[in-house]
Amino acid sequence: GRQSAALLVVTRFTPGYGVHTFSGMIYDGTLTDVLLRPHSPVLGQVGWYFGIAAFDLLFLAPVVLVLAVALQVRPELVDVMQALPSLVLACGIAFAFDFAVACSAFWTQRYYAVADAAYRLLFLFGGVAVPIPLLPEEARPWFDALPFRWMRGYPAEIASGLATDDIARGMLVQLAWLVGLGSLAILLYRRGVRRYTAIG
C-alpha cells in the first residue's frame, strides 16, 4: 500500500517527456529558432519537465489521498522527510536520463523506438514492476548497478519504510549517477548541436 502510493508520487516527479518536446524540435527543425534565442534550450526543457510534473501532481494528489484512506495507509512522517532529498536527486537523474535519450534524435529518426526501449528498462529495473527490496538478495546487486532504481524506486522505498540500505550511502550513489548521467547528457547535447548546425 505505502509502496504503491509512494511510487505513484515519485513517477509523477520523474516523468519522461523529452521525446515529445526536445526530440520533436530536433526532428522538425524548430530547434533552429530556439538556438537563436538568448537563453539555453536546456532551460526550456527543465521548465517543461518540472512544469508538467507539477501539473500532473495536482491531479494525482486526490488519487493518492483516496488510495491512502481506502488502504488505511499512514506513511511515517520521518520516512517521508528522509525521502525528500532522495526525491530531489531522483528528479535530477531522471531529467538527465530523459534529456540524454531525447538527444538520440540528433542521430536517428527512430527516436521514439530509442525512448520506448529506455523507458521499458526503467519500468523493469527501476522498482516499478517489482519492488527491489522484495527481490531475492542474489538479484539485488544487478538492480543496484543500474541507474534505474535510483531515479524511480529508491525514493519510494525510503518513503514507504522499505529501504534496507544505508540511506546516506544510497544518496551518494544517486549523486554519482546524477553527475554521470548529467555529464553524458551535456556531451550528447553539445555534439548533437554541432552536428545539427553543420547539417542545417
Side-chain angles (χ1 to χ4, degrees):
R2 281 196 292 176
Q3 173 77 5
S4 300
L7 269 174
L8 276 173
V9 175
V10 171
T11 52
R12 295 329 307 154
F13 273 110
T14 56
Y17 297 119
V19 69
H20 302 291
T21 56
F22 191 68
S23 293
M25 290 166 52
I26 297 169
Y27 183 60
D28 64 18
T30 54
L31 180 62
T32 303
D33 295 332
V34 177
L35 289 171
L36 295 175
R37 296 174 187 171
H39 60 78
S40 169
V42 180
L43 290 177
Q45 291 307 299
V46 171
W48 270 104
Y49 185 90
F50 291 106
I52 294 173
F55 185 77
D56 283 354
L57 196 62
L58 289 176
F59 291 93
L60 182 65
V63 175
V64 172
L65 183 60
V66 169
L67 183 64
V69 172
L71 298 177
Q72 297 184 342
V73 174
R74 293 181 178 86
E76 297 291 336
L77 182 60
V78 174
D79 293 332
V80 173
M81 295 303 293
Q82 284 183 327
L84 289 178
S86 178
L87 178 59
V88 171
L89 289 169
C91 290
I93 300 167
F95 175 78
F97 175 76
D98 180 61
F99 192 72
V101 170
C103 284
S104 66
F106 283 118
W107 291 275
T108 178
Q109 295 181 3
R110 300 185 61 82
Y111 54 90
Y112 274 111
V114 175
D116 185 59
Y119 299 129
R120 285 179 189 274
L121 290 173
L122 179 56
F123 175 79
L124 291 172
F125 296 104
V128 180
V130 180
I132 293 169
L134 302 181
L135 291 171
E137 288 189 15
E138 300 79 16
R140 290 180 203 168
W142 296 97
F143 288 79
D144 288 345
L146 299 170
F148 308 113
R149 175 194 181 197
W150 308 104
M151 72 175 79
R152 186 64 59 89
Y154 189 65
E157 292 168 24
I158 299 174
S160 58
L162 290 178
T164 56
D165 302 332
D166 178 66
I167 293 176
R169 174 196 163 277
M171 290 185 189
L172 284 175
V173 174
Q174 284 185 295
L175 184 61
W177 276 116
L178 176 59
V179 172
L181 287 175
S183 300
L184 176 64
I186 292 170
L187 177 66
L188 291 175
Y189 172 72
R190 288 178 176 171
R191 291 192 175 181
V193 166
R194 282 201 296 267
R195 181 179 188 278
Y196 179 83
T197 52
I199 294 174

